[in-house]
Amino acid sequence: MPKVIKYTIGIVAAVLVLYFSLDIQNLEKHRAAANTTRFDATDFASKFWDESLSQCIAEAPQTVDVLKMLNENPQKAFENYGKKLGISKTGYFMVNGKGLIEKVEDECILLALDKNTKIRIATDFIYGNAVRDGSGKVNINDFLNMTDFNAVSVAINKLIKEKVVARLRKSAEVGKWLEYTGAFEMSEENTDVTSVLVLPVSAKISDGIPE
């Protein structure tokens, strides 16, 4: 084989080895960078709880006002109080209020807000996106994928169980008063205000009517 051909083959082989080694190194760098920027839903939820939730609580409208409007003019209620994602027909409402505990069940507390209005406060099976989306503080456009976005709901709901529900289950008794803030979801196609289930983000039990 002529020397020129041998030299040419050798040079091509060396270039290919160098190319693939660089490609492997770049891939490893990419993977390393991805690992360092991996989304942490637990950390995000903790920051939301510590930095954003207090404003949500302060701005939440009275439950009786929201339910009254949902009953009389659902479209206006969704526009004024509800939050939803895109073209979804599910609205999420952040509300607050106080009421008399009428019944303590395994999965919820039955609360009378007035003589005509009763709701349920969830104390088990805390799931869904009511708090994440009802807060208006978590923007779907800030996430790279739906997996991360949905993981935020899971992490927030876990905090609800740990920080609110655990204490509420121990102290809730029939005849006591409960002051709360929380969120619920409702479909535009079924605005039955008698089946509202609120996921609490704050709860305070008292023996007398809260001021």
Side-chain angles (χ1 to χ4, degrees):
M1 182 181 294
K3 289 185 178 181
V4 174
I5 296 177
K6 289 183 179 180
Y7 289 145
T8 301
I9 293 174
I11 292 171
V12 170
V15 170
L16 288 174
V17 169
L18 179 61
Y19 172 79
F20 284 114
S21 66
L22 290 174
D23 189 54
I24 292 172
Q25 289 179 3
N26 288 336
L27 178 60
E28 291 301 320
K29 288 180 180 180
H30 175 74
R31 287 175 176 171
N35 288 334
T36 58
T37 57
R38 185 173 296 166
F39 179 71
D40 188 334
T42 299
D43 182 62
F44 185 98
S46 295
K47 289 180 179 178
F48 164 82
W49 196 275
D50 295 336
E51 299 173 8
S52 301
L53 191 57
S54 59
Q55 183 179 357
C56 298
I57 293 173
E59 296 176 350
Q62 289 293 312
T63 308
V64 290
D65 295 335
V66 176
L67 297 185
K68 185 174 185 293
M69 188 174 291
L70 278 168
N71 192 47
E72 297 175 352
N73 191 337
Q75 183 178 348
K76 186 176 180 181
F78 274 81
E79 292 173 354
N80 289 2
Y81 297 120
K83 295 178 176 63
K84 61 180 182 177
L85 298 179
I87 60 173
S88 170
K89 290 186 178 296
T90 299
Y92 301 92
F93 300 81
M94 185 71 74
V95 293
N96 69 37
K98 55 190 175 184
L100 181 67
I101 298 177
E102 290 195 338
K103 191 174 183 179
V104 178
E105 301 180 342
D106 292 337
E107 300 176 5
C108 66
I109 295 170
L110 182 63
L111 200 66
L113 306 184
D114 56 36
K115 63 180 182 178
N116 297 317
T117 310
K118 295 181 182 181
I119 63 169
R120 294 173 297 147
I121 303 293
T123 56
D124 200 0
F125 301 111
I126 307 298
Y127 63 92
N129 306 315
V131 174
R132 182 197 68 187
D133 296 341
S135 71
K137 302 297 183 182
V138 184
N139 190 337
I140 189 174
N141 295 319
D142 293 337
F143 295 83
L144 295 176
N145 53 67
M146 288 302 296
T147 299
D148 291 347
F149 188 55
N150 290 332
V152 169
S153 284
V154 175
I156 290 175
N157 292 340
K158 183 179 179 181
L159 289 176
I160 293 173
K161 294 176 185 177
E162 296 172 349
K163 295 179 176 292
V164 183
V165 169
R167 291 185 292 105
L168 182 57
R169 287 174 67 93
K170 291 179 181 179
S171 56
E173 295 179 11
V174 173
K176 289 191 174 183
W177 288 81
L178 172 60
E179 188 173 6
Y180 66 90
T181 302
F184 69 90
E185 65 178 71
M186 180 168 287
S187 170
E188 292 179 349
E189 298 175 343
N190 180 16
T191 55
D192 179 11
V193 297
T194 65
S195 61
V196 168
L197 178 68
V198 174
L199 272 59
V201 295
S202 72
K204 183 179 179 182
I205 296 284
S206 60
D207 292 325
I209 302 176
E211 296 182 359

